[in-house]
C-alpha cells in the first residue's frame, strides 16, 4: 500500500494523459510516472538485443534488469539517450505487444511502485488505478474520440517535424488500443472507481483544472 497520495490517470493512446498528468504533477509539486515509457523501453531494449517481443521469459528478464534513467524530460537506456527512439509508433506497437505478457508486467511492478515518493505522485498509463496503485486517492479515466486522438497525435508529430499520415496514425492507434483492451492482464478499461474525463471537446487547460478540482474534493472528503 502506498503511503503517499497518488493520482492515477489511465486511458487510451493520445487521449492527453501524459500532458495532463505532467501539468497536474507540476501544479501540485508531485512526482510524475510515465508508465508507458517503461513498456516502450522494454520493447526497445528487446529490439536492440535481438529478442523477439513475444518471447515472454526473455523479455521479462530484460524488463527486470532495465538500466533506465528518467532525467527530467530525457530518458536514458544503458546510458544512451533514447527519448526520441521510444516515441516512434513502431516502438508503441512493440510496447503493447510486450505489455500483454503477464511476466513482463510483473517484472515492472516494483519499479513503478518506487515512484510513489513524498509529497505525492501522478501516474499515467493503462492500469495505474486498477493494478499498480489500486488505493490511489483519485483515479481518472481520460479519453477522447478516436478521431480527436488521431488528430492530436498527427498534429504532435507534425510539430516535431516528423512525417505523419493521419489515416496510418488512426489505424495504428486503433490496433494498439484493441490489443490493450483485449488482453487478459490489466486490460485498458474504465474501472468503476475512476472518474471519466472525456476531452474530445476540451482543451488541456480545462482538463487540468477538472483534475485539480477533483483532487481538492478528494482531499476534503
Ligand atoms: O499520453 P497520451 O498518449 O494519452 O497523450 P499526450 O501525448 O499527452 O497528448 C497527445 C497530444 O494531444 C498532445 O500534443 C497534447 O497537447 C494534445 N492534447 C490536446 O490537444 N487536447 C487535450 N485535451 C489533451 C491533449
Ligand atoms: O503515449 P501512448 O498513450 O500512445 O502510449 P504509452 O502510454 O506510452 O503506452 C505504450 C503502450 O504500453 C500501450 O499501448 C500499452 O500497451 C502499454 N502500457 C500498458 O500496458 N500499461 C501501462 N500502464 C502503460 C502502457
Amino acid at each position: 500500500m502506498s503511503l503517499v497520495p497518488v493520482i492515477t490517470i489511465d486511458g487510451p493512446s493520445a487521449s492527453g494523459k501524459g500532458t495532463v498528468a505532467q501539468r497536474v504533477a507540476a501544479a501540485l509539486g508531485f512526482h510524475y510516472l510515465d508508465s508507458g515509457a517503461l513498456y516502450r523501453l522494454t520493447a526497445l531494449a528487446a529490439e536492440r538485443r535481438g529478442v523477439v517481443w513475444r518471447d515472454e521469459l526473455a523479455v521479462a528478464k530484460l524488463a527486470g534488469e532495465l538500466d533506465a534513467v528518467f532525467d527530467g524530460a530525457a530518458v536514458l537506456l544503458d546510458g544512451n539517450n533514447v527519448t526520441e527512439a521510444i516515441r516512434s509508433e513502431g516502438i508503441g506497437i512493440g510496447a503493447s505487444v510486450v505489455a500483454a505478457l503477464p511476466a513482463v508486467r510483473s517484472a515492472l511492478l516494483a519499479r513503478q511502485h518506487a515512484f510513489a515518493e513524498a509529497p505525492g505522485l501522478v501516474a499515467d498509463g493503462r492500469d495505474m488505478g486498477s493494478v499498480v496503485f489500486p488505493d490511489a486517492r483519485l483515479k481518472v479515466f481520460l479519453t477522447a474520440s478516436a478521431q480527436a486522438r488521431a488528430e492530436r497525435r498527427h498534429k504532435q508529430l507534425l510539430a516535431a517535424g516528423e512525417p505523419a499520415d493521419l489515416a496510418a496514425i488512426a489505424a495504428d492507434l486503433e490496433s494498439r488500443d484493441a490489443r490493450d483492451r483485449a488482453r487478459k492482464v490489466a486490460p485498458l478499461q474504465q474501472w468503476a472507481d475512476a472518474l471519466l474525463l472525456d476531452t474530445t471537446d476540451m482543451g488541456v487547460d480545462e482538463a487540468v483544472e477538472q483534475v485539480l478540482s477533483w483532487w481538492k474534493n478528494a482531499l476534503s472528503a
Side-chain angles (χ1 to χ4, degrees), residues 33-123:
L33 165 61
D34 171 5
S35 63
L38 293 173
Y39 291 94
R40 287 174 180 269
L41 282 164
T42 302
L44 183 66
E47 188 177 83
R48 291 192 169 174
R49 285 171 174 78
V51 171
V52 292
W53 288 331
R54 289 184 194 283
D55 185 341
E56 182 163 8
L57 289 185
V59 178
K61 189 166 183 296
L62 279 179
E65 296 168 353
L66 267 188
D67 174 9
V69 175
F70 292 87
D71 184 9
V75 186
L76 308 184
L77 177 66
D78 301 324
N80 301 311
N81 190 324
V82 294
T83 317
E84 300 290 320
I86 60 166
R87 292 292 148 206
S88 75
E89 273 308 310
I91 290 298
I93 291 165
S96 79
V97 172
V98 302
L101 307 171
V104 172
R105 303 199 74 85
S106 304
L108 291 174
L109 209 51
R111 194 183 287 261
Q112 294 174 83
H113 287 154
F115 279 79
E117 287 192 325
L121 174 71
V122 184

Side-chain angles (χ1 to χ4, degrees), residues 120-173:
L121 174 71
V122 184
D124 93 69
R126 305 295 185 288
D127 62 340
M128 296 297 96
S130 55
V131 175
V132 182
F133 299 108
D135 55 341
R137 289 283 286 276
L138 172 64
K139 301 180 184 182
V140 176
F141 188 81
L142 198 142
T143 191
S145 71
Q147 192 185 334
R149 293 187 287 110
E151 283 169 3
R152 284 174 189 175
R153 185 67 90 223
H154 184 238
K155 210 167 141 192
Q156 202 177 24
L157 289 170
L158 290 181
E162 289 174 40
D165 175 71
L166 184 59
I169 291 169
D172 273 355
L173 292 187

